[in-house]
Amino acid sequence: MDLKNKIQEKFTSLYGTAGEFFSSAGRINLIGEHTDYNGGYVFPGAIDKGITAMIAVNGTDKVRAYSIDYDESVEFGLNEEDAPKQSWARYIFGVCRETIKREGKVSGFDAVFAGDVPLGAGLSSSAALESTFAFAINTLFKNELDKFTLAKIGQSTEHNYVGVMCGIMDQFASVFGKKGSLIRLNTKTMEYKYFPFNPEGYKLVLVDSCVKHELASSAYNERRLSCERAAAAIKKNHPEVDFLSDAKRLWLDEVREEISSEDFLRAEYVIGEVQRVLDVSDALERGDYETVGEMMYQTHFGLSKLYEVSCEELDFLNKLARKCDVTGSRVMGGGFGGCTINLVKDELYDAFIAEAKTKFAERFGHEPKVYDVVISDGARVLVD
Ligand code: ADP
Ligand code: MG
């Protein structure tokens, strides 16, 4: 039975009626890593893995929701003190509350949903869940909040109801995602632009190391501080520099003696990454995926050797990709574990995946997981 039938059947058995289908997606980020807190670009796209929900207004002041994947039901009211205990339900509750805070109408509704974004793998299953419900509520209650507000509702849900202080990229990509397009988002101005991404003859595949090293959160704060110090030093000579992404490479050289060699390397990575995003933008306009791939390798090098947020497992996968003639490969996300994102020619795909599984298992004792992704639509109503 296909997923929509399964959802509909469950919905009818629980609530006796039927509703409308809504869906949204997880996301990848092609390039632009650790740039979001430096006022730089990110370059995400929605993927063909997401959340699908059937939802109907129920005429009460209670929300009833059932998660197929957790096989659990919840019922909650819409006041601040009604927060449910189940973690998955807190996302839905948070979206309701954040909508209300923005003057959106929300009353009781019924929902059944399921998803296929792997949890915690760096593909943002939580953003898929938030944006499905943010979009659905906006549609069902005719709130007419704009798409940016819907993304913000998801982000604020993470901040205020889950305790994850994330940036806007995941929810932005999930709400704005479009089939065959990546979205370049300027995290300083929030300007964005769609770029064509139709790599015919290539596959996009994530190889999940399934490791997460403890270092991640302290290292993240240290990197942020390094970037702030480097930007402050440059600003003394160039007052227009508010963020590291505003700085030219030469301006960094001017302060080489004033900042630590470590801060210098961190800044060198960030300034290089801003340029790589621009190079990738041009390459995508031309349909030049070989250049895109080369930039991905350069990003990996920078993240590994300058920014120092890679780890043995990810460097191993990256090297292996090079050896298998994979067009582009880099660590995706914050680092210290998680996935590499790989752009690989169709004819080399099987050999690469086989090699990655065998060699990685020989070295680290477990196989990596593999997720093929296709750039797809984000939040939407599903018709038939
Ligand atoms: P990710 O990196 O995938 O976003 P998070 O820890 O931020 O990982 O979010 C995962 C959480 O999102 C899960 O623990 C669950 O509460 C919720 N979630 C994601 N997908 C589903 C799903 N298919 N069904 C129910 N809840 C889900
Ligand atoms: Mg998440």
Side-chain angles (χ1 to χ4, degrees), residues 322-343:
R322 251 308 184 211
K323 213 176 114 235
C324 294
D325 286 329
V326 169
T327 304
S329 177
R330 71 174 191 87
V331 46
M332 190 179 84
F336 301 109
C339 296
T340 59
I341 178 169
N342 303 274
L343 182 65

Side-chain angles (χ1 to χ4, degrees), residues 183-224:
I183 324 164
R184 190 184 72 188
L185 173 68
N186 181 325
T187 60
K188 188 164 116 180
T189 62
M190 290 294 139
E191 283 167 308
Y192 64 92
K193 186 176 169 194
Y194 288 94
F195 285 80
F197 188 79
N198 299 297
E200 261 177 54
Y202 298 84
K203 289 192 202 313
L204 205 50
V205 59
L206 296 152
V207 180
D208 186 353
S209 67
C210 303
V211 299
K212 193 78 214 164
H213 296 290
E214 282 310 313
L215 246 66
S217 71
S218 60
Y220 177 82
N221 292 332
E222 285 164 19
R223 298 303 178 280
R224 280 189 85 130

Side-chain angles (χ1 to χ4, degrees), residues 19-292:
E20 280 179 73
F21 276 112
F22 297 88
S23 184
S24 193
R27 63 100 191 92
I28 53 94
N29 185 35
L30 185 71
I31 197 157
E33 209 64 78
H34 285 280
T35 44
D36 57 340
Y37 52 87
N38 286 301
Y41 297 108
V42 291
F43 221 135
I47 57 173
D48 58 337
K49 298 182 180 5
I51 295 280
T52 302
M54 177 172 264
I55 308 181
V57 176
N58 65 19
T60 74
D61 57 0
K62 294 276 191 299
V63 172
R64 297 186 292 182
Y66 174 77
S67 156
I68 289 186
D69 300 318
Y70 284 78
D71 186 21
E72 253 175 7
S73 290
V74 292
E75 182 173 322
F76 56 80
L78 290 161
N79 298 311
E80 199 59 38
E81 63 273 17
D82 297 326
K85 298 226 163 21
Q86 292 87 341
S87 70
W88 60 267
R90 294 184 70 86
Y91 292 95
I92 301 172
F93 177 75
V95 166
C96 293
R97 290 297 309 160
E98 292 296 336
T99 302
I100 292 166
K101 288 180 201 169
R102 288 164 179 78
E103 316 281 300
K105 177 174 181 270
V106 186
S107 62
F109 60 85
D110 297 330
V112 171
F113 72 100
D116 61 356
V117 188
L119 304 185
L123 298 179
S124 216
S125 65
S126 61
L129 180 55
E130 289 146 12
S131 60
T132 300
F133 278 85
F135 185 89
I137 287 169
N138 193 46
T139 308
L140 289 169
F141 295 101
K142 301 185 174 55
N143 287 328
E144 295 186 9
L145 299 173
D146 63 45
K147 281 176 142 191
F148 252 114
T149 304
L150 299 184
K152 286 267 182 205
I153 284 171
Q155 183 194 23
S156 302
T157 294
E158 300 263 358
H159 291 187
N160 301 328
Y161 297 91
V162 188
V164 174
M165 300 311 287
C166 59
I168 191 74
M169 174 173 79
D170 298 355
Q171 291 76 17
F172 173 84
S174 184
V175 170
F176 283 78
K178 226 164 53 176
K179 194 175 173 196
S181 293
L182 293 176
I183 324 164
R184 190 184 72 188
L185 173 68
N186 181 325
T187 60
K188 188 164 116 180
T189 62
M190 290 294 139
E191 283 167 308
Y192 64 92
K193 186 176 169 194
Y194 288 94
F195 285 80
F197 188 79
N198 299 297
E200 261 177 54
Y202 298 84
K203 289 192 202 313
L204 205 50
V205 59
L206 296 152
V207 180
D208 186 353
S209 67
C210 303
V211 299
K212 193 78 214 164
H213 296 290
E214 282 310 313
L215 246 66
S217 71
S218 60
Y220 177 82
N221 292 332
E222 285 164 19
R223 298 303 178 280
R224 280 189 85 130
L225 290 173
S226 282
C227 292
E228 283 170 20
R229 284 193 295 264
I234 295 169
K235 193 179 177 68
K236 285 191 211 142
N237 300 334
H238 304 279
E240 66 269 44
V241 172
D242 293 321
F243 292 97
L244 213 38
S245 63
D246 300 324
K248 296 197 166 67
R249 178 52 220 262
L250 274 176
W251 300 355
L252 175 62
D253 290 333
E254 292 167 5
V255 299
R256 188 187 273 269
E257 304 303 322
E258 289 166 45
I259 60 177
S260 71
S261 56
E262 193 174 85
D263 289 358
F264 185 89
L265 291 179
R266 309 296 188 240
E268 187 181 6
Y269 163 75
V270 172
I271 294 172
E273 185 72 349
V274 171
Q275 185 56 47
R276 279 188 290 276
V277 169
L278 296 175
D279 292 346
V280 163
S281 307
D282 293 343
L284 286 177
E285 301 272 26
R286 296 193 302 271
D288 173 4
Y289 292 98
E290 293 300 310
T291 298
V292 170

